[in-house]
Amino acid sequence: QLQLVQSGGGLVQPGGSLRLSCVASGFILENYAIGWFRQVPGKEREAVACQGKGNGRLYYHKAVKGRFTLSRDNPRNTVYLDMNNLRPEDTARYYCAATQPSSDYVPQFTSEFDDWGQGTQVTVSS
């Protein structure tokens, strides 16, 4: 059974930092493309950071480029999203996701991902 379990998140002041973690079980995450998405009420879920399988190419949403970093710890079967210089507009529920593409393509759309974490709330407020 494939499962992604998230941790991290919470309340942080503007300019602060948070780390989100996503641990995979039932499959080898290194063989999968991964993505971090976020969603606010009334809006569609959007990709903030994605990576092709096997430490492949990275995609970052322009709103987070230079502030967010996606990384993997393959021995721990874990992916991270380090978020720095957080802004109130980063407030959202964040999700990790995984899929096994047939190529080195970097998926960026929710419909391209098969397995999802449970989500974790990030609130940036003073």
Side-chain angles (χ1 to χ4, degrees):
Q1 180 180 358
L2 308 184
Q3 193 174 19
L4 295 168
V5 178
Q6 296 180 226
S7 61
L11 174 64
V12 64
Q13 291 187 342
S17 299
L18 282 174
R19 165 175 269 198
L20 305 183
S21 301
C22 178
V23 180
S25 61
F27 64 105
I28 299 173
L29 195 57
E30 184 178 6
N31 298 333
Y32 283 67
I34 53 178
W36 285 99
F37 290 76
R38 66 186 180 188
Q39 189 170 24
V40 296
K43 291 191 176 181
E44 291 190 357
R45 194 172 296 186
E46 64 176 4
V48 295
C50 303
Q51 186 177 39
K53 63 181 179 180
N55 292 325
R57 290 180 296 117
L58 286 161
Y59 159 83
Y60 290 100
H61 192 287
K62 61 182 179 181
V64 308
K65 215 167 188 178
R67 301 188 297 121
F68 290 14
T69 303
L70 182 157
S71 62
R72 298 180 189 240
D73 185 339
N74 290 329
R76 288 186 167 84
N77 222 28
T78 300
V79 60
Y80 302 101
L81 183 68
D82 288 297
M83 306 182 292
N84 298 309
N85 192 20
L86 283 159
R87 304 168 181 169
E89 55 264 39
D90 295 318
T91 295
R93 190 163 185 87
Y94 284 72
Y95 298 86
C96 63
T99 188
Q100 197 169 27
S102 58
S103 67
D104 294 333
Y105 170 69
V106 183
Q108 300 167 27
F109 302 99
T110 56
S111 59
E112 296 178 302
F113 286 85
D114 302 310
D115 300 286
W116 291 83
Q118 80 277 18
T120 185
Q121 180 67 32
V122 171
T123 302
V124 185
S125 175
S126 56

